[in-house]
């Protein structure tokens, strides 16, 4: 771990700085492929910036777990406060995992998105999951209306924020690729700048999504140990790769393995892989 020059300022960036981040974020989607990792707090955001990543994305699950809540168990106000915190913590563009817009109807989604834009984020995603186990995916018509409302709110605020349309079928046991493609095309037509179908894994599925919405960019979730690497994923036409809550889960995995040894065996060898405190102090101190 080396010293870094990340921002330690916790004040909100200026309007000019926010605009520059948003423009830089859009440019990242124009060509090539980049990894956009998902921090869950200020420390993880600054660490990822120090490691050289070009942009960050929030994780609803990672943020919720850090507050002792399940995914989707955090209020809109808490999420907005978290986004402001991330935006102020680093100099990088931040994409918001904004779940389904924290509202029951399209008008409410528009209001939520307006508030999210005010936090300074460079992008935000709206998903079509309903939160209802009996009917986990909203109808296509409702989903398009909600995404269109998000698009309208972004445009009313100047149009700089990048809108991501998410089709959640594969995360909710509906492995219907054709319906997913239909939804992604509709979300693109409704104004999504980037399309995302979390849960697809195979090269065939990825290629089908990329081709369905071309030339608009595609985000791919890789939240598991994958046989595909960055170069191979880029060759499939993907523009950006996120990891969702996987980094948070990796951190919780290390914590649980060490803590369980303490609790169950009275042993301390689970601490052997802990990061050295001095290296962390040097990093966060900007030494």
């Amino acid at each position: 771990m080396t010293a870094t020059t990340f921002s330690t300022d916790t004040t909100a960036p200026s309007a000019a700085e926010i605009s520059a981040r948003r423009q830089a974020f859009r440019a990242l989607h124009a060509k090539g492929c980049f990894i956009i990792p998902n921090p869950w707090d200020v420390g993880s955001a600054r660490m990822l910036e120090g490691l050289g990543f070009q942009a960050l994305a929030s994780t609803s699950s990672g943020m919720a777990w850090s507050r002792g809540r399940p995914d989707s168990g955090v209020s809109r106000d808490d999420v907005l406060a978290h986004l402001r915190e991330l935006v102020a913590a680093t100099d990088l563009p931040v994409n918001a995992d904004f779940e389904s817009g924290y509202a029951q109807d399209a008008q409410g989604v528009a209001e939520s998105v307006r508030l999210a834009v005010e936090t300074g984020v460079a992008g935000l995603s709206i998903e079509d999951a309903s939160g209802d186990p009996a009917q986990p995916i909203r109808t296509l018509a409702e989903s398009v209306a909600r995404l269109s409302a998000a698009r309208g709110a972004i445009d009313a605020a100047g149009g700089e924020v990048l809108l991501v349309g998410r089709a959640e079928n594969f995360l909710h046991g509906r492995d219907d690729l054709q319906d997913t493609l239909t939804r992604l095309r509709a979300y693109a037509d409704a104004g999504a700048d980037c399309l995302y179908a979390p849960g697809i894994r195979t090269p065939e599925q990825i290629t089908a999504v990329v081709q369905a919405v071309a030339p608009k960019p595609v985000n791919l979730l890789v939240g598991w140990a994958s046989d595909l690497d960055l170069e191979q994923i880029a060759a499939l036409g993907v523009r950006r790769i996120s990891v969702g809550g996987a980094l948070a889960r990796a951190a919780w995995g290390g914590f649980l393995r060490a803590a369980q040894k303490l609790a169950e065996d009275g042993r301390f060898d689970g601490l052997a892989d802990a990061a050295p405190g001095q290296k962390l102090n040097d990093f966060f101190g900007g030494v």
Side-chain angles (χ1 to χ4, degrees), residues 89 123 183 203 216:
R183 286 173 174 272
K216 291 195 174 184

Side-chain angles (χ1 to χ4, degrees), residues 13-129:
S14 68
E17 290 170 329
I18 289 173
S19 181
R21 293 182 193 183
R22 289 170 173 170
Q23 292 174 36
F25 192 52
R26 282 189 172 272
L28 285 173
H29 293 75
K31 61 181 180 179
C33 183
F34 67 100
I35 297 175
I36 180 168
N38 304 75
W40 59 93
D41 61 8
V42 167
S44 57
R46 289 180 171 170
M47 181 66 74
L48 291 169
E49 180 179 12
L51 290 172
F53 290 100
Q54 298 173 282
L56 305 174
S58 69
T59 160
S60 62
S61 58
M63 179 264 192
W65 299 329
S66 74
R67 286 157 171 75
R69 303 292 300 169
D71 192 13
S72 301
V74 181
S75 72
R76 183 180 73 177
D77 285 346
D78 285 342
V79 170
L80 292 170
H82 174 63
L83 294 174
R84 284 191 292 270
E85 189 177 53
L86 291 182
V87 168
T90 85
D91 295 326
L92 297 180
V94 174
N95 190 99
D97 176 354
F98 211 52
E99 299 193 57
S100 59
Y102 301 93
Q104 293 301 313
D105 56 23
Q107 183 177 357
V109 170
E111 174 62 11
S112 292
V113 169
R114 181 187 68 80
L115 295 172
V117 171
E118 290 179 354
T119 68
V121 294
L124 64 87
S125 61
I126 297 293
E127 62 191 47
D128 56 12

Side-chain angles (χ1 to χ4, degrees), residues 19-285:
S19 181
R21 293 182 193 183
R22 289 170 173 170
Q23 292 174 36
F25 192 52
R26 282 189 172 272
L28 285 173
H29 293 75
K31 61 181 180 179
C33 183
F34 67 100
I35 297 175
I36 180 168
N38 304 75
W40 59 93
D41 61 8
V42 167
S44 57
R46 289 180 171 170
M47 181 66 74
L48 291 169
E49 180 179 12
L51 290 172
F53 290 100
Q54 298 173 282
L56 305 174
S58 69
T59 160
S60 62
S61 58
M63 179 264 192
W65 299 329
S66 74
R67 286 157 171 75
R69 303 292 300 169
D71 192 13
S72 301
V74 181
S75 72
R76 183 180 73 177
D77 285 346
D78 285 342
V79 170
L80 292 170
H82 174 63
L83 294 174
R84 284 191 292 270
E85 189 177 53
L86 291 182
V87 168
T90 85
D91 295 326
L92 297 180
V94 174
N95 190 99
D97 176 354
F98 211 52
E99 299 193 57
S100 59
Y102 301 93
Q104 293 301 313
D105 56 23
Q107 183 177 357
V109 170
E111 174 62 11
S112 292
V113 169
R114 181 187 68 80
L115 295 172
V117 171
E118 290 179 354
T119 68
V121 294
L124 64 87
S125 61
I126 297 293
E127 62 191 47
D128 56 12
S130 68
D132 178 4
Q135 188 66 38
I137 305 297
R138 299 180 191 274
T139 67
L140 180 58
E142 182 183 7
S143 299
V144 167
R146 294 166 70 87
L147 196 74
S148 296
R151 177 78 267 163
I154 289 172
D155 289 345
E160 287 188 323
V161 172
L162 187 136
L163 177 61
V164 183
R166 292 179 47 150
E168 301 286 293
N169 277 339
F170 280 76
L171 291 187
H172 293 273
R174 292 178 49 169
D175 296 353
D176 186 335
L177 182 59
Q178 290 308 311
D179 182 65
T180 297
L181 299 180
T182 297
R183 286 173 174 272
L184 292 176
R185 291 188 191 101
Y187 302 160
D189 290 342
D193 300 298
C194 179
L195 289 308
Y196 185 12
I200 62 171
R201 296 194 181 209
T202 70
E204 293 76 18
Q205 292 169 338
I206 297 166
T207 298
V209 166
V210 169
Q211 292 177 347
V213 301
K216 291 195 174 184
V218 166
N219 182 98
L220 178 68
L221 172 68
V222 184
W224 45 82
S226 176
D227 292 332
L228 299 174
D229 60 20
L230 172 60
E231 183 177 354
Q232 292 168 320
I233 292 170
L236 296 174
V238 171
R239 284 281 182 261
R240 76 181 207 191
I241 306 166
S242 58
V243 298
L247 285 175
R249 289 190 287 106
W252 277 106
F255 170 85
L256 286 169
R257 285 188 294 273
Q260 285 170 345
K261 283 184 176 290
L262 295 176
E264 298 170 5
D265 304 324
R267 295 180 61 86
F268 302 90
D269 48 313
L271 303 176
D273 294 329
Q278 188 58 54
K279 286 191 175 182
L280 293 173
N281 287 336
D282 288 348
F283 179 85
F284 289 118

